[in-house]
Amino acid sequence: MLSKKTKYGIKALTFLARQENQTPVQIAEIAKAEHISVKFLESILLVLRHSGFLGSKKGKGGGYYLIKDPKDINMATIYRILEGPIALLPCASHNFYEKCDDCIDEITCSVRRLMMEIRDNTLIILENNSLEDIAF
């Protein structure tokens, strides 16, 4: 299940992508428009800023803004930053692989095969969508 952190992060990025001339937007404005707690949104936007997707400006006329073009922001990357691995099980992950303690044989494990198929299809969808694709 998608966490609220990831859901709200995507909603905030979409809101910012729709701003003309990428003008800075205050956290309170995004929070109000997207029905997100200001404190929670603040922590999400900090993660995205530290990851190189957002810039921030202090003072009057300040706020957060995209520093990358929405077409260059891949949703698989955003998902991994906010949510973590795309795979539902560590044994099915490309980037965060771990063998399951209870698994006797990964090669014949039906659960792992199913989770790998889910991962692959989810990855295709996320990699083939940019922020621009979902925002407009």
Side-chain angles (χ1 to χ4, degrees):
M1 185 177 305
L2 190 68
S3 69
K4 284 187 179 183
K5 176 182 177 182
T6 303
K7 179 182 177 182
Y8 294 164
I10 293 170
K11 288 176 75 168
L13 286 170
T14 302
F15 184 88
L16 290 170
R18 292 178 179 146
Q19 301 306 302
E20 290 187 27
N21 303 320
Q22 297 308 315
T23 54
V25 181
Q26 292 183 350
I27 293 174
E29 183 180 343
I30 301 168
K32 183 178 180 184
E34 298 298 334
H35 308 285
I36 305 169
S37 152
V38 173
K39 284 275 191 207
F40 192 33
L41 182 58
E42 194 173 293
S43 68
I44 295 167
L45 295 179
L46 275 174
V47 169
L48 292 169
R49 193 182 103 219
H50 288 132
S51 298
F53 293 96
L54 299 179
S56 63
K57 181 181 172 188
K58 294 183 180 184
K60 187 176 181 180
Y64 281 91
Y65 56 93
L66 293 175
I67 58 174
K68 291 188 175 189
D69 192 304
K71 74 177 180 334
D72 297 326
I73 298 176
N74 182 276
M75 295 315 297
T77 303
I78 296 301
Y79 185 96
R80 284 187 178 111
I81 289 167
L82 295 173
E83 191 74 23
I86 291 170
L88 298 175
L89 288 176
C91 68
S93 179
H94 282 301
N95 299 328
F96 301 94
Y97 170 84
E98 285 181 30
K99 186 177 184 326
C100 294
D101 294 336
D102 61 341
C103 190
I104 297 167
D105 182 13
E106 282 187 340
I107 294 169
T108 61
C109 179
S110 56
V111 176
R112 181 173 189 255
R113 283 196 317 262
L114 176 63
M115 293 302 111
M116 289 174 68
E117 186 176 349
I118 292 169
R119 177 211 60 210
D120 292 346
N121 284 291
T122 302
L123 192 54
I124 288 167
I125 293 166
L126 291 170
E127 285 183 339
N128 287 313
N129 279 281
S130 68
L131 181 58
E132 180 178 71
D133 294 327
I134 69 167
F136 301 101

